[in-house]
Amino acid sequence: MSSTRLSTSVACVLLLLTTACSQGETKSAQSINASNASVVAASNNISTLRIGYVGSTEPTGPLGWAKKKGLLDRELQKAGFKDITFARFPNGPDLNEALVAGQLDVGSLGDTPAIVLRARGVETRLLRITQFNTTAWLVAKKNGPRSLAELKGQKIATQKGSYMHRYLLGLLAEAKIAKDVKVVHLMTTEAKAALERGDVAAYATSSDLGPFLKSQGFPVLDSSANHKGLSGTSLVVATESFLAKQPDFPQKFNAILTEATKDLKANSEEYYQYHAQITKYPLDIIKISLPLKQISEEPLPAEGVKLLEGTKNFLVSQGLAKSDFKLTDWVEKKQQR
């Protein structure tokens, strides 16, 4: 953390994209379901793999499916890992803190926080794009604005440091109203209540919460599907210090996730049921929010890489990423089979 003497509120604005500087919010692995990650970190036992993820009670996507089906445990034990621990985080900046603190070996998170962390010079490597073209939604309060133009002078909330935040900033820039609205931080878990109270005029939200809010009668003003380059990607990164001790890990881990992806696609109804159970959204909402074509069987799908490059360039151009870097330098060279 910087030692610059700023007020807490100003410091939060400056650091929120890379760290979780929040008042009254869940902040770190110690205050959430960290699956004893801090204890493992203290032992620095390389036979234990420490994975952090952003989401619900259990991970979803290929990682979650590999865990549920027992594939992760079975194959990683063959690779010499005696234990696998999972730490759940409410958002990417919180997971970033744990990576920086040496509490995690691997992180599954969105593109924006992962890029911002790498741009700070933190030594991570990109192992995989697990999902791409993830839709973000802009949902308005009831009896509120019905167009982007009507947002002028209004307060819009989003979970800062997320792919939804990057979408919102890009959308406001495209609509040329970025200077006419106030963007504030609000966790997705609080979005529905804030919209119902009228605390905010609109909320930029995730691929699943957006359709759910729509089903609850909240008007949709826009979605990233209407804009080239504004949808998100989900990534898996690992620390360079961990990979230095486990140079064969990227190949083995990607092989597991590829197999899990093929299996969840072959058993899509079972997977959707699992995903709905974990996230607590209705099954029909999950099917809308997660077309399985968004989940790649290969580590670096060309469409996902292109989208990721655009996101990086935008974050750098807006000063949200501290420095530029080449994606090819970030990608772990041994991520392929």
Side-chain angles (χ1 to χ4, degrees):
M1 286 287 185
S2 170
S3 61
T4 306
R5 295 182 179 177
L6 298 171
S7 68
T8 300
S9 59
V10 175
C12 284
V13 172
L14 293 177
L15 299 178
L16 197 45
L17 280 172
T18 54
T19 60
C21 182
S22 56
Q23 298 173 347
E25 295 286 355
T26 300
K27 185 174 181 181
S28 68
Q30 283 72 29
S31 57
I32 62 176
N33 177 26
S35 302
N36 298 319
S38 59
V39 176
V40 175
S43 68
N44 195 28
N45 185 349
I46 198 61
S47 67
T48 297
L49 176 64
R50 305 165 298 168
I51 301 176
Y53 68 96
V54 175
S56 304
T57 54
E58 292 287 337
T60 54
L63 178 61
W65 195 240
K67 181 177 185 290
K68 173 180 168 54
K69 303 297 280 189
L71 177 65
L72 199 66
D73 278 338
R74 184 178 71 247
E75 295 303 317
L76 287 179
Q77 283 178 4
K78 291 179 184 178
F81 293 99
K82 296 180 180 178
D83 297 295
I84 305 167
T85 64
F86 284 83
R88 180 181 65 85
F89 296 85
N91 57 20
D94 285 320
L95 192 153
N96 278 350
E97 283 189 346
L99 284 170
V100 172
Q103 296 173 336
L104 297 173
D105 305 308
V106 174
S108 175
L109 70 170
D111 50 18
T112 296
I115 289 170
V116 170
L117 185 65
R118 177 65 181 190
R120 284 174 55 194
V122 177
E123 295 180 338
T124 62
R125 288 287 183 179
L126 175 62
L127 302 188
R128 190 181 187 96
I129 296 174
T130 53
Q131 185 178 344
F132 60 93
N133 277 335
T134 308
T135 304
W137 299 79
L138 184 62
V139 181
K141 65 180 182 180
K142 298 175 182 178
N143 302 316
R146 292 296 180 271
S147 68
L148 294 180
E150 292 180 22
L151 289 172
K152 289 183 177 181
Q154 302 284 334
K155 183 188 296 183
I156 306 174
T158 192
Q159 188 165 296
K160 286 192 174 182
S162 66
Y163 81 94
M164 301 91 75
H165 184 204
R166 177 264 186 273
Y167 151 73
L168 178 60
L169 295 179
L171 175 66
L172 296 177
E174 281 188 12
K176 295 180 170 46
I177 59 171
K179 296 180 180 180
D180 302 315
V181 300
K182 182 179 181 180
V183 176
V184 298
H185 173 63
L186 188 70
M187 300 295 287
T188 55
T189 52
E190 302 172 20
K192 185 173 183 288
L195 288 170
E196 288 175 333
R197 292 191 303 265
D199 294 346
V200 295
Y203 189 83
T205 191
S206 60
S207 60
D208 42 20
L209 182 55
F212 176 74
L213 290 174
K214 180 181 178 181
S215 74
Q216 300 294 298
F218 293 91
V220 173
L221 300 183
D222 190 72
S223 84
S224 63
N226 300 325
H227 307 272
K228 185 177 180 180
L230 291 189
S231 292
T233 54
S234 297
L235 312 178
V236 175
V237 301
T239 64
E240 290 190 3
S241 59
F242 168 71
L243 294 178
K245 300 173 184 176
Q246 292 284 339
D248 295 331
F249 176 80
Q251 295 168 296
K252 295 172 181 176
F253 197 63
N254 271 319
I256 293 170
L257 296 187
T258 293
E259 184 175 345
T261 300
K262 291 178 179 178
D263 188 79
L264 72 82
K265 288 184 176 182
N267 300 280
S268 58
E269 193 62 31
E270 184 185 359
Y271 174 75
Y272 276 133
Q273 291 281 356
Y274 166 77
H275 196 116
Q277 178 185 359
I278 293 300
T279 60
K280 309 301 182 186
Y281 287 112
L283 182 61
D284 61 332
I285 295 297
I286 296 302
K287 289 184 176 181
I288 292 170
S289 68
L290 183 63
L292 294 185
K293 64 181 180 181
Q294 293 180 350
I295 303 178
S296 175
E297 295 178 19
E298 57 180 305
L300 296 173
E303 188 175 353
V305 171
K306 183 178 180 180
L307 188 58
L308 188 61
E309 181 72 37
T311 299
K312 177 183 70 71
N313 292 341
F314 177 84
L315 293 172
V316 171
S317 69
Q318 296 296 307
L320 300 174
K322 187 175 181 180
S323 62
D324 199 1
F325 59 91
K326 293 182 179 179
L327 283 185
T328 52
D329 293 338
W330 189 26
V331 170
E332 171 54 45
K333 301 302 186 290
K334 294 182 180 180
Q335 94 281 357
Q336 302 282 354
R337 279 178 183 257

